[in-house]
Amino acid sequence: MNKIHLLAVFLLLIISGSIKAQEDNTSQEPIDITIVDSYVTPEIPHTFLLTFFTSEKCKSKVVLDKNYKYTVSDSLTENHSIKIDLTNLNFKTKPVHYVIIVQDSLGRITRSDINEFDLPSEVHVKSESNFLLFCLFGGMVFALPNPVYISQNGKSYFSLTKEIPLISIRSSGFSYPFGYFSGEYSYVFNSPYKNFFRIGYKQLIVVPGIEYISPGLDGFTNFKGFNGVSAELSIGWFRILNAFTVYTRYRFNFMPGNSSNNFHEISFGLYSSFFSVYF
């Protein structure tokens, strides 16, 4: 009996020691993961940039949209960084969720909370319609001119104008650029001055509840001596097809030294930076 008792006590000591070791191992604090950069570049090809630090030297992976797994660091390090080309990837939703998985030298695995990044408006997801049809339809919509109401010296005119954002300044949010330089052509029906060409700059200010407000300044000419300056204010109301923003605009055009040629414009149109060059 004594030998049996001693054996039982010995086994209990081993079991309790094993349980304590497991508890000590599980009670260790998880590895801290600090994300520094997490965004998608607006220029094509769209690239996801991810940089993060860990509190200990680890190997790391990242999983995008519960589907795409990438090795970030295959050796033990505290500094982790990766660039992922999104060109051939299809995501289920916008924004895209991702999880970081790290493993230290002892084999401990820590998963981060679910994080997310926003796709540029031009990138499609699985829930959207056929991408080719979307591009064709989007191209036709983008090519449509904007209708404009003009008031000058008590007379009213109708105009069609087409603005193209040529150069956009990159912002930190990536939903819209910081601002953009544009070129614009306008044709005014039944007016003594029918053709106008504009070059200008627009500032985009994101506003909660709508998309943005955008003050701007343009220079214009008809190449026949009618030269002037335009001050404008646009309001972006909502998006369609995740690529175009419906906006309204008021513009005051004046010719320095000749106030009789001043005129007002009210217009609405679609804004997209799809064909813009980013800096």
Side-chain angles (χ1 to χ4, degrees), residues 36-271:
V36 178
D37 282 321
S38 172
Y39 65 91
V40 177
T41 58
E43 62 270 15
I44 297 175
H46 297 299
T47 303
F48 174 50
L49 303 181
L50 175 64
T51 302
F52 60 92
F53 298 133
T54 52
S55 57
E56 299 178 28
K57 292 185 177 181
C58 301
K59 298 179 181 180
S60 59
K61 296 180 181 180
V62 62
V63 181
L64 308 183
D65 203 27
K66 298 182 180 180
N67 189 27
Y68 302 104
K69 181 181 292 186
Y70 297 90
T71 297
V72 181
S73 302
D74 56 4
S75 59
L76 297 174
T77 181
E78 296 176 347
N79 304 321
H80 309 261
S81 181
I82 190 172
K83 297 180 179 180
I84 300 174
D85 187 350
L86 304 180
T87 302
N88 297 318
L89 306 185
N90 291 311
F91 298 106
K92 300 174 184 177
T93 60
K94 296 180 181 179
V96 177
H97 297 110
Y98 69 92
V99 174
I100 298 170
I101 304 172
V102 299
Q103 183 177 15
D104 66 5
S105 59
L106 299 177
R108 289 188 305 152
I109 296 176
T110 299
R111 297 173 63 93
S112 72
D113 295 331
I114 297 176
N115 301 285
E116 63 183 36
F117 61 85
D118 292 322
L119 292 172
S121 57
E122 306 87 14
V123 178
H124 69 292
V125 296
K126 286 184 177 179
S127 60
E128 293 175 345
S129 57
N130 183 271
F131 185 58
L132 178 60
L133 294 178
F134 169 78
C135 288
L136 293 174
F137 179 73
M140 290 188 294
V141 171
F142 184 80
L144 291 175
N146 305 330
V148 183
Y149 169 78
I150 296 176
S151 176
Q152 182 181 36
N153 298 325
K155 296 182 179 180
S156 298
Y157 301 97
F158 175 72
S159 171
L160 291 176
T161 185
K162 185 59 193 175
E163 176 191 81
I164 298 179
L166 301 174
I167 300 174
S168 296
I169 301 173
R170 186 179 299 125
S171 69
S172 58
F174 296 110
S175 57
Y176 290 100
F178 178 80
Y180 66 92
F181 295 90
S182 65
E184 182 177 345
Y185 170 74
S186 300
Y187 181 84
V188 185
F189 295 88
N190 303 319
S191 169
Y193 307 99
K194 297 183 181 300
N195 301 284
F196 288 96
F197 179 75
R198 288 183 173 86
I199 291 289
Y201 175 76
K202 280 74 170 168
Q203 182 78 42
L204 292 177
I205 304 170
V206 177
V207 178
I210 56 175
E211 293 295 321
Y212 62 77
I213 60 173
S214 176
L217 189 66
D218 307 273
F220 68 86
T221 181
N222 71 341
F223 297 106
K224 294 182 180 180
F226 194 157
N227 308 313
V229 179
S230 304
E232 65 180 54
L233 180 67
S234 302
I235 300 177
W237 295 106
F238 57 89
R239 286 190 176 189
I240 58 174
L241 299 177
N242 287 320
F244 303 96
T245 301
V246 177
Y247 70 85
T248 55
R249 171 179 295 164
Y250 167 75
R251 175 187 283 159
F252 177 66
N253 306 269
F254 60 96
M255 186 176 183
N258 188 351
S259 60
S260 63
N261 283 329
N262 296 349
F263 60 98
H264 305 265
E265 296 181 33
I266 298 176
S267 62
F268 71 90
L270 299 174
Y271 164 77

